[in-house]
């Protein structure tokens, strides 16, 4: 097995892209300032970079899983052009009140549950103690804490600058 490495877990809407509410179409997608640079910087450090995103719009019937996957492919293409990559996207399309029957359920994967983070740590050789999440909602913070990783609440601005501050804080013992 490969050497254990730290992981940066990133929420999607509001952290990597501007949150316009249920972003599912490429034409509605806009990067948050510094998003591609943030991913590239952590790639160069040898960290895993994962996206962990609730996508209840799928359960609500607002868009399909295929729409979301097409958007993620677009993101990967633009990241690659910037010398960056996401190691894996994890998504939770579930919602207890969903309109689409196959997605209408409670799930530990849906944040504030830690399922997506725990799955990433099972799929990859992640050093949990050196890993943290950046999200824009308290549910993100709850999921990170439940998974045993650090948590930092992003409230806007340049995500690359924020991630550097979060890393310095984390290395100083602040768990978020």
């Amino acid at each position: 097995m490969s050497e254990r490495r730290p992981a940066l877990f990133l929420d999607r809407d509001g952290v990597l892209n501007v949150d316009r509410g249920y972003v599912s179409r490429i034409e509605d997608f806009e990067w948050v300032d510094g998003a591609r640079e943030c991913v590239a910087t952590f790639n160069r450090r040898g960290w895993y970079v994962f996206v962990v995103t609730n996508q209840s719009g799928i359960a609500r019937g607002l868009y399909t899983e295929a729409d979301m996957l097409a958007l993620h492919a677009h993101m990967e293409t633009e990241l690659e052009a910037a010398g960056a990559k996401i190691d894996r996207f994890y998504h939770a399309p579930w919602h207890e009140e969903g309109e689409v029957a196959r997605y209408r359920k409670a799930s530990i994967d849906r944040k504030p549950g830690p399922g997506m983070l725990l799955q990433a740590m099972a799929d990859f050789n992640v050093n949990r103690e050196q890993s943290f999440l950046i999200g824009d909602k308290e549910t993100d913070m709850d999921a990170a804490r439940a998974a045993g990783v650090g948590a930092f609440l992003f409230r806007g601005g340049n995500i690359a600058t924020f991630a550097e501050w979060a890393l310095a804080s984390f290395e100083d013992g602040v768990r978020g």
Side-chain angles (χ1 to χ4, degrees):
M1 178 165 271
S2 61
E3 180 184 341
R4 282 177 16 121
R5 299 183 346 206
L8 174 62
F9 295 93
L10 297 167
D11 179 44
R12 195 190 84 181
D13 300 326
V15 174
L16 287 174
N17 62 276
V18 175
D19 188 353
R20 295 194 164 98
Y22 303 108
V23 174
S24 61
R25 302 178 325 153
I26 292 167
E27 53 267 30
D28 296 331
F29 181 87
E30 179 185 349
W31 290 102
V32 164
D33 288 341
R36 290 169 283 198
E37 296 79 7
C38 172
V39 173
T41 297
F42 278 81
N43 291 156
R44 285 192 299 273
R45 284 189 174 110
W47 286 48
Y48 293 114
V49 180
F50 303 115
V51 171
V52 289
T53 179
N54 285 349
Q55 289 294 312
S56 70
I58 295 168
R60 296 174 197 275
L62 301 174
Y63 52 92
T64 66
E65 214 159 355
D67 294 333
M68 181 208 63
L69 293 172
L71 182 63
H72 290 174
H74 169 75
M75 291 173 69
E76 288 178 307
T77 299
E78 292 207 336
L79 284 164
E80 185 178 347
K85 77 177 183 84
I86 299 296
D87 288 285
R88 188 164 300 163
F89 286 81
Y90 292 88
H91 70 281
W94 327 108
H95 196 281
E96 292 173 344
E97 298 170 13
E99 297 292 319
V100 180
R102 73 182 269 217
Y103 298 112
R104 187 183 315 124
K105 70 174 188 173
S107 173
I108 191 173
D109 291 339
R110 181 171 168 73
K111 294 176 287 181
M116 290 185 282
L117 288 87
L118 296 174
Q119 188 62 56
M121 289 187 273
D123 293 344
F124 293 83
N125 197 10
V126 172
N127 184 328
R128 179 188 315 243
E129 297 76 26
Q130 293 181 342
S131 300
F132 63 90
L133 174 143
I134 297 174
D136 67 330
K137 294 181 176 63
E138 279 303 321
T139 50
D140 298 319
M141 304 301 98
D142 293 341
R145 290 182 196 111
V149 302
F152 293 91
L153 187 62
F154 178 64
R155 298 209 183 269
N158 184 300
I159 188 62
T161 302
F162 181 85
E164 292 306 306
W165 169 84
L167 177 60
S169 298
F170 191 72
E171 289 175 340
D172 287 342
V174 176
R175 300 280 297 170

